[in-house]
Amino acid sequence: MKETDTKNIGLRGVKVADTRISDVNGEKGILIYRGSNITDLARSSTYEEVSFLLLNDHLPGKKELEKYRSELVSERGVPEAVLENLRVTPKLAHPMDVLQSTIPFLASFDPQLRMETREANYKKAIRLISKFPTVVAAWDRIRNGFDPVSPNPELSHAGNFLYMLRGTPPDPETARDFDICLILHAEHSLNASTFAGREVASTHAHIYAAVAAAMGALSGELHGGANSEVMKMLLEIGELSRVKTWVSEKLGRGGKIMGMGHAVYHTEDPRATVLRTICEQMAARTGERRWCELSKAIEGATKEEFRKLKGKEIYANVDFYSASVYHMMGIPRDLFTPVFAISRMSGLTAHIIEEKFAEAQPKPELYRPDADYVGTYCGPEACEYVPLEERKS
Ligand SMILES: CC(C)(COP(=O)(O)OP(=O)(O)OC[C@H]1O[C@@H](n2cnc3c(N)ncnc32)[C@H](O)[C@@H]1OP(=O)(O)O)[C@@H](O)C(=O)NCCC(=O)NCCS
């Protein structure tokens, strides 16, 4: 096989698979889920429709949607042992660590765990999509000394999560805004966590193992952890009057402004455009204008300072406005990434299935990149072995 020297560039621009699931046009700022523009989906669809689309390659008809909804609803419950496990978990554990560790635990309860047909994997994907919000909400309640709230079959995927988190159903506007947030985060091609999931799936590991690996990748602040870092920044800056100095000092020190910049988009992330509007609408509806105004000021100051320092543009990404939006919805800061994970479960499981069943390429290959060895070298036959008693340190 021909060697390609692509090291130390974080695989940027290196195509490692075909996919039918989504297309990110980083130059034009367009995101397409299986042929549908994300902006249209955010305007006119629900998360359930989008989730179906990602797993099935077409938007559902009315009957298909009804069936899919009831499948999702019927899988929302989690075994009591999972809740027991959460009860004995140290309360200060980070929610992403708790969630990542719950996934293999859930696997042991899946009656089809070792069945590797597409149909069984589709069912397992539905279980993961449905149970994940229940686990996130239950963990938040348990760590705060409350009992978990059972899922409400009358509510949508989005509305039910907010209900299980707070114990009261959200108003329809908030439920719909949250639904749109879930749509926007549902899929983003071969980002770090999806690649991690596909890489594990390529070894023929089961879907839960692949999802757990992806969750580890998602927890990092350069990926899914960025939205919570954005909120930390908003809280730290606190006042509009402090924005310019804070931003220029941060960038001047070579620091990063979280929620700004993107590895693929070289224009505005289309999800940020929708989220900015949601932020403004929520601010107008609730009268809580502070977070949105602060975000807009930070965005403006970062763009201006970036132009001065680097002579180029930088744009808000999906995490920038989702921080204020989630905060206004009353979602705790350390649940922002788990909420991202709730949404991403549809795209992620769709990718794992695509990888397992070679749905976009003729034959799935086990990922096996290469590295140049730059360590200790004593010659082609290696160094002379030194017995333990003769070693100096
Ligand atoms: C997402 C991210 C890792 C992409 O990084 P990338 O692929 O290296 O981006 P670019 O190649 O366009 O970066 C170009 C330059 O801008 C800088 N830059 C990118 N994002 C920046 C940010 N948010 N704040 C300050 N500088 C930034 C890079 O350090 C780089 O500087 P250099 O040319 O002096 O080396 C980066 O933008 C980042 O760390 N953003 C903040 C974290 C975040 O929001 N992550 C969520 C992504 S959805």
Side-chain angles (χ1 to χ4, degrees):
M1 187 177 287
K2 188 172 141 283
E3 277 196 12
T4 323
D5 200 359
T6 48
K7 66 185 179 187
N8 301 334
I9 56 163
L11 291 180
R12 274 163 187 69
V14 179
K15 294 189 192 306
V16 297
D18 290 330
T19 183
R20 298 179 54 83
I21 302 170
S22 69
D23 183 35
V24 185
N25 185 327
E27 298 309 317
K28 292 191 173 156
I30 296 172
L31 171 57
I32 288 172
Y33 292 172
R34 295 209 187 256
S36 294
N37 191 304
I38 180 81
T39 314
D40 294 331
L41 294 170
R43 190 190 312 113
S44 311
S45 285
T46 59
Y47 180 74
E48 284 84 341
E49 283 172 84
V50 168
S51 173
F52 181 97
L53 168 71
L54 291 170
L55 285 172
N56 291 282
D57 214 12
H58 66 275
L59 275 164
K62 276 189 185 158
K63 276 199 181 136
E64 283 175 318
L65 181 59
E66 209 176 298
K67 182 167 174 280
Y68 188 65
R69 266 203 200 116
S70 69
E71 281 173 334
L72 286 174
V73 167
S74 70
E75 292 292 352
R76 280 178 184 167
V78 296
E80 183 53 33
V82 170
L83 300 178
E84 273 309 311
N85 195 34
L86 295 179
R87 286 191 187 99
V88 296
T89 301
K91 302 293 173 280
L92 292 180
H94 192 281
M96 281 305 285
D97 293 334
V98 176
L99 297 174
Q100 192 185 6
S101 64
T102 303
I103 296 162
F105 197 56
L106 278 172
S108 350
F109 291 94
D110 194 309
Q112 294 174 300
L113 184 62
R114 300 282 163 204
M115 278 171 82
E116 279 300 336
T117 59
R118 193 195 192 279
E119 202 193 346
N121 274 285
Y122 181 79
K123 290 260 165 59
K124 285 183 264 192
I126 289 181
R127 286 183 197 118
L128 279 157
I129 293 164
S130 291
K131 293 186 197 310
F132 215 60
T134 311
V135 175
V136 175
W139 168 243
D140 189 58
R141 292 188 67 85
I142 287 170
R143 71 175 172 167
N144 287 305
F146 300 110
D147 284 331
V149 171
S150 301
N152 181 340
E154 302 303 318
L155 297 175
S156 67
H157 198 71
N160 176 56
F161 171 70
L162 292 177
Y163 165 70
M164 291 189 297
L165 191 66
R166 303 154 159 187
T168 50
D171 61 76
E173 289 87 0
T174 306
R176 175 57 186 152
D177 283 342
F178 187 58
D179 190 42
I180 296 172
C181 293
L182 294 185
I183 292 171
L184 296 175
H185 287 85
E187 160 58 14
H188 210 239
S189 193
L190 255 70
N191 53 81
S193 54
T194 302
F195 179 53
R198 285 188 76 131
E199 195 270 329
V200 173
S202 81
T203 70
H204 291 184
H206 58 62
I207 193 168
Y208 288 86
V211 167
M215 287 303 117
L218 194 67
S219 69
E221 69 166 20
L222 291 187
H223 188 15
N227 51 12
S228 127
E229 292 301 311
V230 172
M231 196 62 226
K232 194 166 152 198
M233 168 178 73
L234 292 175
L235 291 164
E236 192 183 321
I237 299 179
E239 301 292 334
L240 278 174
S241 58
R242 282 170 38 84
V243 168
K244 281 204 166 185
T245 318
W246 195 96
V247 167
S248 67
E249 279 179 10
K250 180 90 174 174
L251 289 176
R253 285 197 308 271
K256 285 202 166 173
I257 306 295
M258 289 294 141
M260 297 294 295
H262 200 280
V264 181
Y265 292 115
H266 301 298
T267 182
E268 180 152 295
D269 179 335
R271 302 165 299 173
T273 316
V274 179
L275 285 161
R276 190 188 293 105
T277 307
I278 294 183
C279 192
E280 285 163 347
Q281 285 169 352
M282 280 193 80
R285 199 165 72 234
T286 60
E288 196 185 355
R289 295 176 191 277
R290 183 177 171 201
W291 305 111
C292 211
E293 280 175 3
L294 207 48
S295 301
K296 285 202 273 186
I298 297 169
E299 183 187 16
T302 306
K303 285 164 105 47
E304 202 182 310
E305 200 61 28
F306 206 76
R307 254 176 240 130
K308 269 194 237 158
L309 280 172
K310 309 235 182 215
K312 56 182 173 182
E313 293 296 324
I314 188 163
Y315 302 91
N317 64 50
V318 67
D319 293 307
F320 194 73
Y321 283 96
S322 62
S324 313
V325 166
Y326 292 159
H327 184 70
M328 286 190 280
M329 286 174 179
I331 297 172
R333 184 169 77 85
D334 64 357
L335 285 197
F336 289 4
T337 312
V339 162
F340 186 162
I342 286 175
S343 159
R344 185 53 62 83
M345 198 57 80
S346 296
L348 177 60
T349 49
H351 273 280
I352 293 168
I353 290 173
E354 181 174 81
E355 179 73 39
K356 278 179 177 288
F357 299 97
E359 291 182 345
Q361 71 261 29
K363 179 179 170 297
E365 289 282 356
L366 176 75
Y367 289 100
R368 201 343 181 155
D370 207 352
D372 281 331
Y373 176 66
V374 294
T376 305
Y377 184 76
C378 310
E381 300 299 324
C383 305
E384 193 183 329
Y385 182 78
V386 182
L388 181 58
E389 15 339 312
E390 290 172 29
R391 284 177 223 152
K392 299 230 165 50
S393 49

